[in-house]
Amino acid sequence: MSLLKEPDFGTPARTSDTTVTVEVDGHAVEVPAGTSVLRAAAEAGIVIPKLCASDNLEPFGSCRLCVVDIEGARGTPASCTTPCADGMKVATQTPELEDIRRGVMELYISDHPLDCLTCPANGDCELQDMAGVVGLREVRYGHEGKNHLKEEKDTSNPYFDFDPSKCISCSRCVRACDEVQGTFALTIEGRGFDSKVVPGGSADFMSSECVSCGACVQACPTSTLQEKTVVDLGMPNRTVLTTCAYCGVGCSFKAELRGDQLVRMVPYKDGGANEGHSCVKGRFAFGYADHPDRQLSPMMRDSIDDEWRTVSWEEAITEVARRFSALRSDHGPRAIGGITSSRTTNEEVYAVQKMVRGAFGNNNVDTCARVCHSPTGYGLNQTFGASAGTQTFASVEHSDVILVIGANPTDAHPVFGSRMKQRLRAGAKLIVADPRRIDLVRSPHVAAEHHLALQPGTNVALINAMAHTVVTENLVDQEFLDARCEGLPEYLEFISAPENAPEALEEVIGVDAGEIRAAARLFATGGNGAIYYGLGVTEHSQGSTMVMGLANLAMLTGNIGREGVGVNPLRGQNNVQGSCDMGSFPHELPGYRHIGTESVRDIYEALWGTTLDPDPGLRIPNMFDAAIDGTFRGLFVQGEDIAQSDPNTHHVEAALTSLDCLVVQDLFLNETARFAHIFLPGTSFLEKDGTFTNAERRINRVRPTMPPKTGKHEWQVVAEIAALMGFDMNWDRSADIMDEIAATTPTFAGVSFAHLDEVGSVQWPCNDAAPLGTPTMHVDGFVRGKGRLMKTTYVPTLERSTRRYPLILTTGRILSQYNVGAQTRRTANSSWHSEDVLEIHPHDAEDRGITDGALVEVASRVGTTRLHAQISDRMPVGVVYTTFHHPESGANVVTTENSDWATNCPEYKVTAVQVAPAIRAGTARSELASVGMGAGE
């Protein structure tokens, strides 16, 4: 495949019910009203030279290359800033225009290094291209006069260089930082000859507010902003379209390679989720795939106290099958099980759950989504009948009021966060409910109308108080409720009770009743209301209750079933949604169908040629308990570091130590592998062939840039293990697995690799009724028929502050790192975040004699760890906060066994702790037996 060059139409597309017809160089072109002349010409296949224009930026009109002649108009206007008018006649090529363009280009080149043959952007430089297009053959001006050719290069950013000597001051990078990313980190300083791009008044890019999303690099028409990988490796020469393997936004990328060497990841303009934007992780942090720590060969050992020995695939697979078969025979089918991964493809997840059910003979399969978004599945299924979010990401562009609760989009889901910020700048109102003052509360040109800084653990009290306000102040959408919902009388009686009033709950929540009422009124009356939430909702003892509460609020206000509204979980990992869709839970087959339903089992028994156990299997916590009890003996772990991500680390390690056979399939020898007997190397996303499903139910293709470096795809390894255990899976390629998924799962009935390759991506349900997928759910009715309003009684968490543990610890993410850090810590992203720190309010720090940067000890009733303190007023007094990206932090030692009542999702967000200056030197890792972290995902 050659390098994929996407067309650039110069200015954004316009939408209008009115069309106009213009004549461009004698060709009639019909376009929506408001379309620029430049774009109209491009759509007709007529090239007008340009440098400052790009179709993801609003027209600017500074380069003067795109000038045209318009019949009846004075002068030669810029085609990028000139809208088409009906009957307009445009000439793009005249002798006068050619002279103007050559003169302009001559001036640009006179102050530009003439090093094209050695420039890293040679062959991929718009300035170079435009010089050829305008026919520039000579430059009459020498370089003897004043110029910028000796400007010093800024190499401070680990991923790209800034060379001002090549800058033409077109402002595209500045505008991309504003209009695409929304950070406003760049500006043009000075005027005329002295104008130049500067990073927000800082000394260099690294010390500025730049978030390294890459929008400026992508926008630059020269090599002023250039990826260091391109400088080091040369320009790429082929493209593979694939999907990012980080967060649940699911960005589409052009993986650009030189031979088999990945040179850069460029966001794909036709990507349904990201539309050409990216973040620092997806754009630049792909180096972990080639990190020296990566394991490429299978390894085995008899005891976890022995050294690893490298073995062949045949020996490793045979030994896995032998050990699991022996445990199944000696202790019964239910003595073994598996855990699937939210980082692997749908096809790989499906393979593991099929192996457990078909080869192992039980339903002991669970997923790491258990510790993050299982309450989403339960809560939305109970209320709406579908265990997933309701909208596309683009839907936020139609929102008038946005409620963000328990989520930090600009750090954890930055591409969607940028899209949200653009909508807020266009006039939408924002309500943030979070103990911590996240950046969205106040950032450049964005300010929340309400920041509800609630106490951790009081989410349900808050949502009940808001719903109480909506109901008792008669702000409900009665027509919607009457037509589309059930359980209304019982719910109204419950929510109207005085104990749910803001005044009754304000002391519990920690937010003034008037502020709660004002926020509720805004959401109910402000137009299209959209809810976006994250782990700050689900990782609580009442996580499922809270999800139902959010669904209640959406139904009460009629904010379901159209663009700009909905209940939208922001999934943490790239395939959290998909791992749930594929039947990774012990009680559900693919498509969220209960294992106890005979008609559903019949589908799989007929296809697989085996009898399935009708009883639900063990969840992950039950597996751990059973392992310690001696009734659960063997575990297959696919791409998940449970020793680092699951709560109550000592209990997890005791369980893993008790196993007769632990098999880990992963890229690296992670914390869980310390307890493994067999290690099976996994594949990076660059080698995978399959699909991911993002937070908006979008099924995206993941295409391999190269064959698996390990020699096998992960699903092949699983299928070979199953075959040796007497259960043949009969797949020749990953596309066959998706065909089986589609044949057995109604919501995926219309999905195939061929269909995705043709249309790009689809959102399930995708079937005969919706061959292109379903962007918006519950349009005319809910999946379950009528929406179900659920009582959401507030039950305080058992984890409360005490005299001994007076502070509440809660956790979150930071932009540059991802989850437990296995990938991002092995890239230059650690330049921004080299360790987790404990944010503590100045009042709490002063009370304890803690200074900024001091090493502190964090103790809970189950354990102790150490972190460096960062004094911050982002949290209320009594609340401390840390991220969970570095295993050295050891914070999972302090998280408790509390979990959601319905799904066992751990309560990571509420841990009572005491913080004190560390008495002696040392790190958490050297002092603690475990190095886990409450990562959640």
Side-chain angles (χ1 to χ4, degrees), residues 875-892:
M875 300 78 54
V877 173
V879 178
V880 292
Y881 170 89
T882 188
T883 50
F884 48 72
H885 305 301
H886 294 266
E888 293 80 6
S889 303
N892 226 16

Side-chain angles (χ1 to χ4, degrees), residues 345-347 688-692 700-704 734 753:
T345 64
N346 287 317
E347 294 72 19
K688 292 186 185 296
D689 187 14
T691 57
F692 294 150
N700 269 319
R701 280 284 278 122
V702 184
R703 298 178 180 88
S734 55
F753 282 16

Side-chain angles (χ1 to χ4, degrees), residues 471-683:
V471 169
T472 58
E473 295 187 8
N474 197 29
L475 304 177
V476 300
D477 186 333
Q478 195 64 50
E479 183 179 352
F480 182 92
L481 291 172
D482 291 342
R484 298 194 49 184
C485 300
E486 65 183 24
L488 184 58
E490 298 84 357
Y491 177 76
L492 292 181
E493 182 182 1
F494 158 76
I495 203 65
S496 300
E499 57 264 30
N500 287 319
E503 290 75 15
L505 292 169
E506 63 180 344
E507 188 173 343
V508 170
I509 300 168
V511 178
D512 178 75
E515 187 76 0
I516 296 172
R517 285 189 178 274
R521 291 172 190 139
L522 174 60
F523 187 82
T525 64
N528 286 340
I531 299 170
Y532 293 91
Y533 71 90
L535 304 187
V537 160
T538 56
E539 290 182 344
H540 287 274
S541 60
Q542 280 201 288
S544 293
T545 308
M546 182 58 181
V547 173
M548 291 188 286
L550 292 173
N552 288 341
L553 183 63
M555 288 187 284
L556 286 173
T557 55
N559 282 306
I560 286 288
R562 63 183 185 277
E563 287 206 280
V565 300
V567 180
N568 306 285
L570 296 174
R571 307 289 195 168
Q573 292 188 85
N574 52 300
N575 204 32
V576 167
Q577 183 67 59
S579 68
C580 299
D581 297 341
M582 293 298 104
S584 291
F585 292 123
H587 64 291
E588 289 178 334
L589 286 159
Y592 305 96
R593 293 164 293 167
H594 200 279
I595 189 67
T597 305
E598 184 176 358
S599 60
V600 177
R601 286 201 314 279
D602 287 346
I603 296 171
Y604 292 94
E605 288 179 346
L607 180 65
W608 294 353
T610 190
T611 301
L612 299 182
D613 186 346
D615 296 325
L618 300 175
R619 293 173 174 173
I620 292 173
N622 307 128
M623 293 182 193
F624 294 157
D625 292 341
I628 292 173
D629 291 342
T631 57
F632 187 75
R633 313 300 287 262
L635 180 61
F636 183 96
V637 180
Q638 174 198 43
E640 173 63 10
D641 195 359
I642 53 177
Q644 186 173 340
S645 65
D646 281 42
N648 200 346
T649 299
H650 296 305
H651 183 69
V652 174
E653 293 189 348
L656 297 180
T657 305
S658 300
L659 294 171
D660 293 332
C661 181
L662 174 60
V663 179
V664 170
Q665 185 179 44
D666 215 314
L667 297 178
F668 307 106
L669 282 172
N670 55 26
E671 294 302 307
T672 305
R674 293 192 292 121
F675 305 94
H677 303 91
I678 301 172
F679 180 85
L680 305 175
T683 55

Side-chain angles (χ1 to χ4, degrees), residues 851-875:
T851 57
D852 195 50
L855 185 67
V856 297
E857 192 166 81
V858 183
S860 74
R861 59 182 172 83
V862 299
T864 304
T865 188
R866 291 183 170 195
L867 297 161
H868 286 98
Q870 183 179 87
I871 296 178
S872 168
D873 64 357
R874 282 179 173 245
M875 300 78 54

Side-chain angles (χ1 to χ4, degrees), residues 245-558:
Y246 280 114
C247 79
V249 174
C251 296
S252 297
F253 275 90
K254 298 186 295 182
E256 296 189 345
L257 301 98
R258 188 176 181 88
D260 286 336
Q261 177 72 56
L262 180 62
V263 176
R264 64 184 176 190
M265 296 286 288
V266 179
Y268 186 43
K269 287 167 62 175
D270 285 340
N274 60 317
E275 297 180 345
H277 192 33
S278 61
C279 80
V280 62
K281 294 187 288 290
R283 182 71 158 85
F284 296 115
F286 51 81
Y288 69 89
D290 291 319
H291 195 276
D293 287 349
R294 186 175 170 190
Q295 302 297 315
L296 299 177
S297 300
M299 296 186 292
M300 289 172 28
R301 56 186 177 181
D302 296 326
S303 165
I304 63 173
D305 296 320
D306 295 339
E307 294 294 322
W308 289 106
R309 66 181 187 278
T310 300
V311 297
S312 67
W313 272 118
E314 181 180 8
E315 184 177 356
I317 290 170
T318 300
E319 183 64 8
V320 172
R322 185 193 69 79
R323 290 200 185 195
F324 281 145
S325 295
L327 291 173
R328 181 184 60 184
S329 176
D330 295 344
H331 302 282
R334 297 186 182 182
I336 53 179
I339 297 175
T340 68
S341 173
S342 295
R343 297 188 187 118
T344 59
T345 64
N346 287 317
E347 294 72 19
E348 290 164 339
V349 170
Y350 183 88
V352 171
Q353 67 85 31
K354 182 175 180 179
M355 175 182 69
V356 171
R357 293 189 160 105
F360 291 8
N362 62 61
N363 293 304
N364 292 338
V365 61
D366 207 351
T367 177
C368 55
R370 159 81 50 229
V371 297
C372 61
H373 268 287
S374 49
T376 286
Y378 183 88
L380 294 183
N381 191 54
Q382 291 293 310
T383 52
F384 297 163
S387 302
T390 62
Q391 314 293 130
T392 65
F393 288 133
S395 170
V396 77
E397 295 168 9
H398 302 275
S399 299
D400 300 307
V401 181
I402 301 169
L403 170 59
V404 175
I405 180 165
N408 187 1
T410 56
D411 273 17
H413 305 87
V415 170
F416 173 68
S418 293
R419 191 192 289 264
M420 181 185 289
K421 285 194 294 184
Q422 298 299 346
R423 176 57 192 149
L424 294 170
R425 288 175 182 133
K429 306 297 184 183
L430 175 66
I431 304 165
V432 173
D434 197 295
R436 186 169 176 262
R437 192 181 69 246
I438 62 173
D439 286 346
L440 275 178
V441 173
R442 183 170 294 277
S443 58
H445 303 281
V446 168
E449 296 292 312
H450 302 282
H451 176 210
L452 309 177
L454 72 168
Q455 287 294 307
T458 64
N459 286 346
V460 173
L462 173 65
I463 207 67
N464 284 349
M466 292 182 70
H468 176 94
T469 301
V470 172
V471 169
T472 58
E473 295 187 8
N474 197 29
L475 304 177
V476 300
D477 186 333
Q478 195 64 50
E479 183 179 352
F480 182 92
L481 291 172
D482 291 342
R484 298 194 49 184
C485 300
E486 65 183 24
L488 184 58
E490 298 84 357
Y491 177 76
L492 292 181
E493 182 182 1
F494 158 76
I495 203 65
S496 300
E499 57 264 30
N500 287 319
E503 290 75 15
L505 292 169
E506 63 180 344
E507 188 173 343
V508 170
I509 300 168
V511 178
D512 178 75
E515 187 76 0
I516 296 172
R517 285 189 178 274
R521 291 172 190 139
L522 174 60
F523 187 82
T525 64
N528 286 340
I531 299 170
Y532 293 91
Y533 71 90
L535 304 187
V537 160
T538 56
E539 290 182 344
H540 287 274
S541 60
Q542 280 201 288
S544 293
T545 308
M546 182 58 181
V547 173
M548 291 188 286
L550 292 173
N552 288 341
L553 183 63
M555 288 187 284
L556 286 173
T557 55

